């Protein structure tokens, strides 16, 4: 069993910024928005994601809930990243983010990290296995919202 | 009535562990206690010299294994002042003990509409089995509330107990540290014609326990919280209640006879101990209670009281109100479990930063979600003591908390 | 595909034990196996360096304990060829596994009159929970009989399976040594629309097991019979069956949410693992299956087969028919469990005299009373082998049996 | 944990004699006799005791069942000892026998042993704790029969 890496890997500057100043807090009227709720039974973190889908684009996204710095920062960064993206691009981003989390030896080439943008700052979480669930909660809840949303014509 | 904690600490191998460059500061005894060498050795000797299946063997090591297993039952009985070893039933943990109580005693004695009173302060182990019984058998549940002083609100106790068959409540909250007035609850429950079941998972590990004077009818606790191994728990009940409790799990060892038409259960503790029991774990628990008795539970309680007083004092005065104690602020009727709400820092992050200092505190709802909701919290960061805890560890905790506050401001 | 058993024996501290002036001849592995050093060390290292409660901790040792516990689940899953570690649920023993199956899966899927087929050969662990379910929920039980060749009588299998929901049967008799035709039973059960549950308490410890090809839907077994510690068992089920199985025991860890109105269960194995799990025991079981894998279960099975052949041969020819083997007389579809009926000497006395020679055999009904009745016996004296057993121990057994016969003639 | 004593302590000559040639085997018609059944769930030993009580005397006693040498010998010796005794004397004997079994340091003075007569040969059983239940089964079943018997005038 290895020693844990230093905390700076976890609490990067930009992560702390999103935690202190979360983006896209609030609710959206449902419908037309789609809401999904997620929670982490182990720690009690809770999140609600509201997505407003227009055609195949996420036109708006809002979040409520509470949780630790990692879950809050991750959800804030997620919301900033997917707003305005196409559904397909969003699902790709979710997949890429989960790869980043689940494997310490994940593809962290410049190319992959560049596509993730500032979200790449969360890469340190993968070295703290118990915190991975904190980071992925918002993303799983987003996926849930997209799955639940009525197909648009 | 005191002991040299420095000497005692040398009995616990995990205290020699270094984590993240710091000696381990273990403040999570409320979740599970550290295990002294003597317990590990007792289990090792058992496996290396005596291991056999119990009860049915005639040969030497089988007789020894049975003697060791039943000897542990006698040790535990003595430790809690039980009238007889037969009153002590071994389970896998306190949680199974409550399931045994709810399903075996409960289904035999409670019918639709019968009332069981629980409390908002209780651990899921003493809530979920009763919800399950409600869902399967239609019993009615009522709840004692918790007041703003972090105590059970007894103002409507008589009302709640009116017509109740059982009151089941914790002796010490694993979140607040609150010690509940079991003697008083026993008296009032019995006066109302109800029995009293007590969750001793926290109390038995930290306070002297004597079921002869406790007033309870049932007492559940876990080995791993009282210096013993994982994989073993206890349900104690008065003989007269066991006599009216049908079996729970079915299988070998708990029967008197089996045919293709059905089975006749055994009598005595075996009735509730289906299958090969946790033999080595019982041996370990026996060693643990002997170790605790050799220190003296009065001394353990006094030691932890002093430490709790010191911790409450330091935590109250070191952070300009930025660290709130979720629980009684004095040591009156209170044990060494201290839940913290740290301004602006989520418990997960508190624990993560503290870990960098080698300090172990547990973030989360501590399996007491109704209680957390009562205080509008999703989680706390909880520090909790054991007989081996020392003031220097409280100092390390305070320093580490200061670091967390700085980091998140 | 073989190993040096002399070397292997040095891994088992109990084999150095001297009893009544003789080196221990341990022939009771069917009741519980001896424990190798590596298992004891794994548990000791766990307690000495990593012990913490699992799942809810953020700090270093809590993360390590969780990793160790879940790592053991992965080890066990690999050992039995499970599709995923999530298919492996830890219980306290095989007996609890059957209770979980009967009460959780059973109450959800079986209603009054639904048929479960068991066998006369089965252990009480796979009988009593079903009797309990019959008594509480009115299911109907049918039984496969045992023929004079000590095999399951399959002549009326289709009849028994007609309309049945589940067939639950042992893979190896702990009395007769008989290995049952699980592949065939699986096929016919499934053809009849029934699921198949298998009691692997004996088989998993002695024969290679691969649930991917076994054909079973459920498999129950115990750690202490496969070189692991007491206090841990396993219920394996296909994911699709777990998905339709409600919780069993209620408490901490198995919930997703709890309010004063009720609870929502968790998903995954946690759903069935209420309370603090047998953490050290899982670690020990993980070490045991890694040890067994390093020898190779094919090699273990081959070794025990040779030994069984030797024992059957010696026992058949040493006593002028005065020692009768209750079980198949050849190694065909047979494991290393040998029940003996010694003319004029009660099994208790056999075991007592053998003990004088340091030989451990178990007298009794071996928790299979219906099977004993089938053969008109109250008890047998049972010798059973493990990977560490050797021909010289068979010779000691034969000599000791001769002594018993002399003494009682 | 101590080493077990030699087997001769357990299987004394007279014990083996009672095992090989059990006294008072058989049944008695009930009523007038009282029957009680005992069994040892751990090993499957079974016994039925029939007692014919006349006034306050055990006029006849018979036994059926099966078990190990110790349980068989003990029941045979018991039957021989109580036949013709008064109920009170019988209960005293049962108590004395149980004392003999339950404590290795029991009163085994000449006096006490003399009262037990040949039953004293079973004293070695107390050194083999797992066999004590074998030895006491018949005695407990006898007590059961006496308790169940209708009070006589
Ligand atoms: C065939 C069989 N099934 C089930 C069991 C029960 O195992 P456990 O006592 O570990 O629950 C045993 C062992 O006693 C067994 O031999
Ligand atoms: C108050 C209380 N009750 C019950 C339990 C359940 O104990 P276990 O998890 O050992 O079953 C705990 C510990 O988690 C506890 O603190």
């Amino acid at each position: 069993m290895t020693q844990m890496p230093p905390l700076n890997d976890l609490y990067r500057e930009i992560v702390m910024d999103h935690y202190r100043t979360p983006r896209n807090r609030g609710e959206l009227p449902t419908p037309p928005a789609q809401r999904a709720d997620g929670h982490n039974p182990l720690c009690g973190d809770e999140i609600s994601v509201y997505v407003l889908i227009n055609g195949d684009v996420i036109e708006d996204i809002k979040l409520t809930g509470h949780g630790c710095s990692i879950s809050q920062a991750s959800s804030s960064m997620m919301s900033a990243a997917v707003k305005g993206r196409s559904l397909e691009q969003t699902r790709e981003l979710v997949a890429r983010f989960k790869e980043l989390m689940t494997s310490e030896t994940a593809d962290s080439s410049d190319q992959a990290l560049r596509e993730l943008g500032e979200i790449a700052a969360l890469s340190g979480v993968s070295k703290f296995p118990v915190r991975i669930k904190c980071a992925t909660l918002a993303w799983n809840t987003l996926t849930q919202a997209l799955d639940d949303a009525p197909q648009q014509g | 009535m005191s002991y040299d904690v420095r000497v005692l600490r040398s009995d616990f191998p995990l205290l020699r562990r270094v984590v993240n460059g710091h000696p381990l500061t273990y403040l999570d005894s409320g979740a599970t206690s550290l295990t002294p060498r003597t317990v590990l050795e007792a289990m090792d000797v058992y496996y290396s010299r005596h291991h056999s299946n119990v009860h049915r063997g005639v040969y030497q090591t089988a007789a020894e294994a049975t003697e060791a297993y039943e000897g542990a039952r006698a040790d535990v009985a003595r430790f809690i002042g039980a009238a007889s070893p037969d009153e002590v039933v071994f389970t896998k943990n306190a949680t199974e003990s409550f399931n045994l109580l709810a399903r075996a005693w409960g289904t035999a004695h409670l019918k639709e509409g019968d009332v069981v009173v629980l409390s908002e302060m209780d651990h899921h182990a003493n809530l979920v089995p009763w919800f399950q019984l409600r869902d399967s058998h239609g019993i009615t549940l009522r709840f004692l509330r918790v007041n703003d002083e972090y105590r059970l609100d007894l103002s409507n106790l008589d009302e709640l107990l009116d017509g109740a068959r059982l009151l089941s409540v914790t002796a010490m909250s694993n979140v607040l540290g609150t010690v509940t007035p079991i003697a008083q609850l026993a008296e009032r429950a019995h006066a109302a014609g109800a029995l009293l079941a007590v969750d001793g998972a926290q109390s038995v590990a930290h306070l002297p326990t004597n079921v002869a004077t406790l007033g309870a009818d049932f007492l559940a606790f876990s080995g791993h919280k009282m210096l013993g191994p994982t994989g073993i728990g206890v349900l104690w009940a008065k003989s007269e209640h066991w006599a009216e409790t049908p079996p729970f799990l079915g299988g070998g060892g708990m029967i008197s006879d089996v045919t293709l038409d059905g089975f006749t259960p055994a009598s005595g503790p075996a009735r509730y101990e289906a299958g090969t029991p946790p033999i080595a774990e019982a041996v370990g628990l026996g060693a643990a209670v002997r170790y605790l008795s050799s220190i003296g539970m009065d001394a353990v309680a006094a030691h932890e009281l002093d430490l709790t007083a010191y911790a409450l004092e330091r935590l109250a005065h070191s952070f300009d109100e930025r660290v709130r104690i979720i629980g009684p602020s004095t040591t009156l009727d209170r044990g060494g479990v201290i839940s913290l709400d740290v301004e602006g820092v989520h418990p997960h992050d508190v624990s993560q930063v503290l870990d960098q200092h080698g300090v172990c505190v547990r973030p989360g709802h501590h399996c007491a979600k109704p209680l957390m909701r009562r205080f509008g919290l999703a989680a706390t960061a909880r520090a909790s003591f054991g007989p081996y805890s020392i003031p220097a560890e409280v100092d390390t905790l305070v320093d580490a908390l200061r670091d967390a506050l700085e980091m998140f401001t």
Side-chain angles (χ1 to χ4, degrees), chain B residues 203-368:
Chain B
S203 65
V204 171
H206 302 286
L207 303 172
T209 301
N210 187 339
V211 292
T213 56
L214 187 67
D217 297 282
F218 304 94
L219 178 70
F221 53 100
S222 264
H224 70 94
K225 293 196 200 271
M226 48 195 289
L227 314 190
T230 55
I232 187 151
V234 171
L235 181 63
W236 167 86
K238 285 191 182 163
S239 302
E240 63 203 77
H241 301 312
W242 281 131
E244 298 191 343
T245 303
F248 176 40
L249 303 182
M254 53 68 73
I255 59 97
S256 160
D257 197 11
V258 178
T259 69
L260 292 184
D261 293 325
F263 72 100
T264 322
S267 57
R271 184 185 181 93
Y272 311 100
E273 297 179 354
T276 303
I279 312 171
E281 292 74 11
V283 168
L285 179 56
V289 299
R290 290 197 306 274
Y291 181 83
L292 284 169
S293 297
S294 76
I295 315 170
M297 285 306 293
D298 287 328
V300 167
H303 172 77
E304 294 187 20
L305 192 78
D306 286 351
L307 199 61
T308 305
Y310 179 67
L312 290 173
E313 163 75 21
R314 286 227 54 194
L315 289 164
H317 294 102
S318 303
F319 304 105
D320 293 331
E321 322 257 290
R322 295 192 51 202
V323 172
R324 196 159 60 101
I325 293 167
I326 310 297
S329 58
T330 73
T331 55
L332 181 74
D333 291 336
R334 185 195 211 298
V337 169
I338 307 183
S339 269
L340 302 174
D341 183 33
V342 182
E343 191 183 291
V345 196
H346 188 279
H348 260 200
D349 294 311
V350 171
S351 180
Q352 191 83 61
V353 176
L354 265 52
D355 177 58
Q356 216 62 22
H357 297 253
V359 176
C360 310
V361 302
R362 185 153 297 246
H365 53 63
H366 315 298
C367 297

Side-chain angles (χ1 to χ4, degrees), chain B residues 114-129:
Chain B
D114 277 357
V115 172
V116 171
V117 182
L118 307 170
S119 101
E120 195 175 31
M121 193 187 278
D122 266 274
H123 188 280
H124 296 164
N126 189 21
L127 295 175
V128 180

Side-chain angles (χ1 to χ4, degrees), chain B residues 88-296:
Chain B
V88 170
V89 166
F90 286 129
T91 59
K92 67 173 172 177
N93 53 26
T95 301
E96 188 194 341
S97 301
F98 276 109
N99 281 272
L100 165 55
L101 175 62
R103 306 268 180 105
W105 182 87
T107 52
H109 290 82
L110 304 175
K111 51 180 197 319
E112 199 172 327
D114 277 357
V115 172
V116 171
V117 182
L118 307 170
S119 101
E120 195 175 31
M121 193 187 278
D122 266 274
H123 188 280
H124 296 164
N126 189 21
L127 295 175
V128 180
W130 303 110
F131 285 127
Q132 292 177 301
L133 195 63
R134 180 198 63 183
D135 297 345
S136 64
H137 286 72
I139 64 166
T140 297
L141 301 178
R142 295 181 190 152
F143 294 90
L144 277 165
R145 297 311 178 113
V146 176
N147 65 26
D148 292 343
E149 280 71 51
Y150 306 104
R151 304 280 172 193
L152 288 180
D153 174 2
L154 303 182
S155 62
N156 63 341
L157 179 59
D158 290 332
E159 209 174 296
L160 292 173
L161 283 174
D162 185 33
R165 304 290 310 276
L166 180 76
L167 169 62
S168 187
V169 75
T170 190
M172 188 198 294
S173 163
N174 66 316
V175 177
L176 308 172
T178 304
V179 171
T180 60
I182 293 299
Q184 184 186 349
L185 293 170
E187 203 177 300
R188 292 177 63 183
H190 291 152
L195 298 181
L196 176 67
V198 171
D199 180 352
Q202 293 295 331
S203 65
V204 171
H206 302 286
L207 303 172
T209 301
N210 187 339
V211 292
T213 56
L214 187 67
D217 297 282
F218 304 94
L219 178 70
F221 53 100
S222 264
H224 70 94
K225 293 196 200 271
M226 48 195 289
L227 314 190
T230 55
I232 187 151
V234 171
L235 181 63
W236 167 86
K238 285 191 182 163
S239 302
E240 63 203 77
H241 301 312
W242 281 131
E244 298 191 343
T245 303
F248 176 40
L249 303 182
M254 53 68 73
I255 59 97
S256 160
D257 197 11
V258 178
T259 69
L260 292 184
D261 293 325
F263 72 100
T264 322
S267 57
R271 184 185 181 93
Y272 311 100
E273 297 179 354
T276 303
I279 312 171
E281 292 74 11
V283 168
L285 179 56
V289 299
R290 290 197 306 274
Y291 181 83
L292 284 169
S293 297
S294 76
I295 315 170

Side-chain angles (χ1 to χ4, degrees), chain A residues 11 20 41 43 66-67 69 131, chain B residues 344 346 348-349 352 365 378 407:
Chain A
Y11 299 126
R20 295 207 182 89
C43 57
H66 53 81
S69 59
R131 304 305 292 276
Chain B
H346 188 279
H348 260 200
D349 294 311
Q352 191 83 61
H365 53 63
M407 208 167 149

Side-chain angles (χ1 to χ4, degrees), chain A residues 4 8 14 28 60 69 73 77-78 88 123 135 145 148:
Chain A
M4 284 200 187
N8 313 346
I14 191 159
L28 292 174
D60 201 2
S69 59
M77 290 163 110
M78 179 272 281
E88 201 187 317
S123 65
D148 292 351

